[in-house]
Amino acid sequence: MIVPITGNVTYSITLDPTVWIFDDRKILLEEAFTKQENEQKVEDNELEDASKRWNRAVYQQKINPPVNKSISRFEREKILENSYVMPINEFVDHAEVNENATDVTLVTNKGHEHISLKALQNCYLLFALDGKPLKEEGPVHLFFKDGSNKDNPITGIEKIIIN
């Protein structure tokens, strides 16, 4: 259930979509393709969310073991009923793609798909459907942010290779 990002990057990283369900960066699938709503949400909450993540990271270092107690029981139940996507651009940035990289190979359980690096940076990864990890055709599905493949995402992604 992991997805490595490898290839023409400074740091190969491994994504674990099973832990994203409680990540503040996730977006409801229903809201992912409404551009205006997303832009406003990013502008309004970017600094506040970064501050919360920082405070939580510092606070959790003092707890043994680290536990996120900021989510109420109601919120937990609500989270476990919805479908979510995660923007991939932040993970690609952390891998530090080399300047000469231009395209991406998505290794899926059905073969290989090729897209541009620019297209990858404007994508979402669907990781939870009705609050549950994608076991069939998973661990993630790739959607373009413009919604052009909303009805036909790239499924069964097992590895992302930057070329």
Side-chain angles (χ1 to χ4, degrees):
M1 295 297 289
I2 60 171
V3 180
I5 297 178
T6 62
N8 196 359
V9 294
T10 303
Y11 304 105
S12 294
I13 62 174
T14 303
L15 306 178
D16 184 356
T18 61
V19 298
W20 292 346
I21 196 75
F22 294 109
D23 192 307
D24 294 333
R25 298 170 291 183
K26 71 182 176 299
I27 300 170
L28 280 169
L29 177 62
E30 297 80 29
E31 296 175 1
F33 302 106
T34 56
K35 187 175 181 179
Q36 183 180 28
E37 203 172 303
N38 284 340
E39 287 176 359
Q40 183 178 0
K41 181 179 177 182
V42 169
E43 289 174 11
D44 292 346
N45 295 327
E46 187 173 302
L47 184 59
E48 183 180 332
D49 289 346
S51 173
K52 285 179 184 178
R53 284 194 301 273
W54 173 259
N55 287 338
R56 188 177 315 131
V58 170
Y59 173 71
Q60 286 181 350
Q61 290 176 358
K62 297 176 184 176
I63 299 175
N64 201 6
V67 177
N68 184 354
K69 294 185 178 187
S70 64
I71 300 174
S72 71
R73 184 178 185 157
F74 173 75
E75 289 173 319
R76 229 178 275 148
E77 290 173 3
K78 183 180 170 194
I79 285 173
L80 296 174
E81 294 174 354
N82 293 313
S83 299
Y84 295 100
V85 295
M86 181 70 77
I88 193 173
N89 58 325
E90 191 169 324
F91 299 112
V92 173
D93 292 344
H94 285 304
E96 294 185 12
V97 175
N98 295 322
E99 290 180 19
N100 61 344
T102 57
D103 64 328
V104 177
T105 301
L106 302 171
V107 179
T108 71
N109 55 11
K110 295 177 185 171
H112 293 59
E113 296 279 338
H114 300 279
I115 62 172
S116 71
L117 178 60
K118 188 175 181 177
L120 178 71
Q121 291 173 325
N122 290 305
C123 288
Y124 294 120
L125 293 177
L126 176 73
F127 65 92
L129 200 55
D130 300 325
K132 296 181 179 27
L134 302 174
K135 292 185 180 179
E136 294 180 24
E137 296 295 318
V140 293
H141 298 177
L142 185 129
F143 289 95
F144 297 114
K145 285 185 180 179
D146 64 5
S148 60
N149 70 335
K150 187 177 178 183
D151 296 326
N152 189 24
I154 300 172
T155 62
I157 298 171
E158 298 171 346
K159 186 174 188 179
I160 300 171
I161 303 170
I162 309 291
N163 302 313

